[in-house]
Amino acid sequence: MAGEPPEEVRGIAAAAVGTADLDRAVADADLIVLSAGEGKVAEVARHLVPGLAARRGRPLDVWVVGNADCARRVRGALAGTAEARGTALPPLGVAGAVARVAVSRGSWHEPGVPEFVGDAARRLDVDALPLRLAPPALPGVHTTREFGARLREKLFVFNTGHAFTAYLGWLRGHRTIDTAIRDPFVRPVVTGALLAARRAVLAAYPCLCPGAPWTRRTR
């Protein structure tokens, strides 16, 4: 968040696609999380098959994070690749997940190293229905039995606010979201759009109303 020191992540090993290191990591994993975009996620998933086969039947959950129902594509890619190779897969729970993480400013087009400042929003909703294992206790992670509703909430409320702000802000000469939303012309329009979108989503999915018993935290 703005005003706080940057958070550094250390002690994380990297493995290239198609290497024995990746196969070993998949074979030993407690959980796999994919986030590669709707157009690439199936291609990425195919590279997991050798490591999954090496698990020798040990079950595993795969969370597929995206702004679409990408889990279905991953299931198809894994099954098709395994069948083509004559490989048996372990029991898998391939579950969709939607993340809500807001970035208030940052650019790859400025000189020097880009700096991205995130808002306090830190939430990941994981589809509970396909899971094979109990999800790990991770901050901000929630399981939901209404994944389709949560996905549309993300698209038509959370993402819509950012899109409206970006488009209107560009027309008004702003270069970043955080400056655009302070514009006295932009903010009321975005607010009105979000309220209208929220009413529509709640009308279609009453389970999203506060207090509905469909979502729980993993800890």
Side-chain angles (χ1 to χ4, degrees), residues 27-214:
D28 296 338
D30 297 315
L31 171 69
I32 292 178
V33 181
L34 293 180
S35 181
E38 186 178 1
K40 292 286 187 181
V41 69
E43 177 184 341
V44 172
R46 293 186 181 96
H47 294 284
L48 302 179
V49 170
L52 292 173
R55 296 180 66 84
R56 302 183 184 278
R58 288 183 294 118
L60 182 68
D61 284 332
V62 180
W63 298 355
V64 188
V65 184
N67 287 333
D69 186 11
C70 297
R72 180 171 48 187
R73 296 190 178 196
V74 169
R75 291 188 202 103
L78 292 175
T81 303
E83 182 179 5
R85 297 184 179 188
T87 299
L89 294 176
L92 295 174
V94 183
V98 286
R100 280 179 276 182
V101 178
V103 176
S104 59
R105 68 173 181 266
S107 172
W108 294 108
H109 304 292
E110 300 291 339
V113 178
E115 177 180 311
F116 293 85
V117 180
D119 291 338
R122 294 288 188 275
R123 182 183 177 106
L124 182 70
D125 287 305
V126 182
D127 187 358
L129 299 181
L131 296 180
R132 294 273 184 168
L133 305 170
L138 299 172
V141 174
H142 302 251
T143 56
T144 177
R145 300 179 68 84
E146 296 289 343
F147 176 71
R150 289 295 176 190
L151 177 59
R152 285 159 182 80
E153 177 190 39
K154 166 73 184 301
L155 294 175
F156 298 121
V157 179
F158 193 85
N159 287 11
T160 292
H162 288 83
F164 260 85
T165 305
Y167 296 147
L168 294 175
W170 179 77
L171 291 173
R172 297 277 289 177
H174 299 289
R175 300 182 65 250
T176 58
I177 292 288
D178 64 315
T179 58
I181 198 59
R182 297 190 188 103
D183 188 306
F185 171 80
V186 173
R187 192 179 189 92
V189 177
V190 172
T191 300
L194 287 179
L195 290 174
R198 182 177 183 271
R199 286 193 296 269
V201 170
L202 289 179
Y205 302 101
C207 59
L208 296 179
C209 293
W214 301 107

